[in-house]
Amino acid sequence: MSWQNFILSAVIRRQQNATMKLTPEHRFKRQRKFMAMDIGKPNKTVTCTTDELAGVKVEWLAAKGINISPSTPVCVYCHGGAFIMGGMNSHRQMCSELAAQANISVLMVDYRLAPEHPFPAAPEDAMSVYLALIEMGYESRNIIIAGDSAGGNLALTTLQKLRDDNKPTPAAAILFSPWLDLSHNSQSFTDNKQKDVLLNKTLLEEAVAMYAPKLPRNDPRISPLNANMANLPPLLIIASRAEVLLDDATALHHKIQELHGDSTYLEWTNPPHAFPVMSRFLPEARDALKQSAAFITEHIA
């Protein structure tokens, strides 16, 4: 464990302990306000451009020398935040680093959040942005889709729906600590209850109640771990051994392997949930982004 991870994890644990003493309503408001803060500045070599595709707000982060056009590769990124918080500000710094390292453009999707916009708003927005790129002339072999936590859920559900609808699927996908089974019955919720400094079952249950109040928790439309994993593009899955969602990541990897699909799984020992997003602070996160950039370079056309 790096000393940066030791300190950051201690700070996060202290904040979360205080947060858990609040009422659910105050907890939600406090966390959403924090995730809306402009947490980190983007890489200086990356240009940031706001845009709108298919009625969805997006932001382009283009590496130096990369022109935003259908002839250049792009990574469509769905941010985390349990479907109820997060956005451009919370993920701009990390996405700019990924754009710089992979020498591509990253397209952040500012999808609609629950509870104001419950399911299926978020997956509809992710799908709409991807299909808009195809309509603009982007070739699927030049597109990567990625996301962390709830964003990893959206990335996987987008892949599955594209396949089921016989639409062109992207060249590959990257999932950071994906939240894939909203029933929360896996063993890692027990094993890592005391280790995970960021998430717990209570927080996730509250988020699900806002995101999909009318659906069974095991419905494959919101729990893509229960859906068909056949004929998906190559996946890179990154997780921490200390997070309660560890089994979501490992189960996905094993299911794809059982179907003889292409899945690469990388695991770090102690960093927080969705740690690649914390590249401003953690060497473990920077290492994960470096390997993610190499994966993109390997699979993009």
Side-chain angles (χ1 to χ4, degrees):
M1 178 191 297
S2 68
W3 65 265
Q4 295 96 328
N5 182 32
F6 178 82
I7 294 174
L8 182 62
S9 294
V11 171
I12 293 173
R13 184 182 294 278
R14 183 176 180 179
Q15 290 177 336
Q16 287 300 80
N17 287 342
T19 297
M20 295 309 297
K21 296 177 182 179
L22 303 175
T23 65
E25 180 181 1
H26 289 166
R27 185 157 50 232
F28 164 62
K29 291 180 178 179
R30 177 176 176 174
Q31 291 182 314
R32 178 178 272 193
K33 182 178 180 180
F34 175 77
M35 289 287 282
M37 294 172 58
D38 194 354
I39 297 173
K41 295 182 179 180
N43 187 296
K44 294 181 179 180
T45 68
V46 171
T47 60
C48 302
T49 307
T50 58
D51 199 356
E52 187 173 294
L53 296 181
V56 181
K57 294 180 180 179
V58 296
E59 185 171 304
W60 295 91
L61 300 169
K64 185 178 181 179
I66 297 293
N67 294 318
I68 299 174
S69 73
S71 63
T72 58
V74 58
C75 173
V76 178
Y77 196 89
C78 300
H79 66 81
F83 302 109
I84 60 175
M85 65 189 82
M88 307 301 196
N89 286 347
S90 59
H91 285 67
R92 184 178 294 113
Q93 188 272 333
M94 182 277 292
C95 284
S96 73
E97 291 294 336
L98 184 60
Q101 291 197 33
N103 196 36
I104 60 169
S105 62
V106 173
L107 179 62
M108 290 196 295
V109 183
D110 195 13
Y111 57 86
R112 289 169 291 170
L113 299 176
E116 296 86 352
H117 304 283
F119 175 88
E124 285 179 350
D125 287 354
M127 176 68 77
S128 295
V129 168
Y130 178 86
L131 293 178
L133 289 177
I134 299 297
E135 292 175 2
M136 290 166 61
Y138 283 83
E139 295 186 49
S140 59
R141 66 193 184 102
N142 273 332
I143 303 175
I144 298 281
I145 190 166
D148 64 282
S149 195
N153 180 306
L154 294 177
L156 182 57
T157 54
T158 300
L159 291 179
Q160 291 167 336
K161 185 163 178 54
L162 288 169
R163 176 204 58 203
D164 295 344
D165 292 350
N166 294 314
K167 301 289 186 180
T169 55
I174 301 173
L175 309 181
F176 299 143
S177 299
W179 183 23
L180 306 177
D181 181 5
L182 275 57
S183 63
H184 307 144
N185 291 322
S186 65
Q187 184 62 36
S188 58
F189 271 89
T190 299
D191 295 343
N192 291 336
K193 182 178 181 179
Q194 302 302 324
K195 299 177 184 178
D196 195 320
V197 299
L198 191 60
L199 292 184
N200 58 58
K201 199 167 187 176
T202 298
L203 291 174
L204 293 173
E205 291 287 340
E206 290 172 356
V208 176
M210 288 185 268
Y211 173 57
K214 298 181 180 180
L215 291 179
R217 302 297 173 84
N218 61 354
D219 190 310
R221 291 173 295 174
I222 60 172
S223 292
L225 194 61
N226 298 325
N228 182 11
M229 300 299 174
N231 302 315
L232 296 178
L235 264 65
L236 172 62
I237 306 164
I238 289 178
S240 167
R241 196 178 302 168
E243 61 179 309
V244 293
L245 294 181
L246 174 62
D247 286 352
D248 287 27
T250 57
L252 173 62
H253 175 62
H254 293 149
K255 284 189 173 188
I256 293 175
Q257 284 194 318
E258 289 171 0
L259 294 171
H260 306 289
D262 189 342
S263 176
T264 300
Y265 176 71
L266 301 177
E267 183 180 277
W268 275 254
T269 304
N270 291 310
H273 166 71
F275 67 95
V277 179
M278 306 171 193
S279 59
R280 179 185 177 190
F281 307 103
L282 299 180
E284 294 91 341
R286 292 189 285 274
D287 184 28
L289 289 187
K290 181 179 180 180
Q291 298 199 47
S292 299
F295 178 84
I296 291 174
T297 302
E298 178 183 356
H299 289 91
I300 207 75

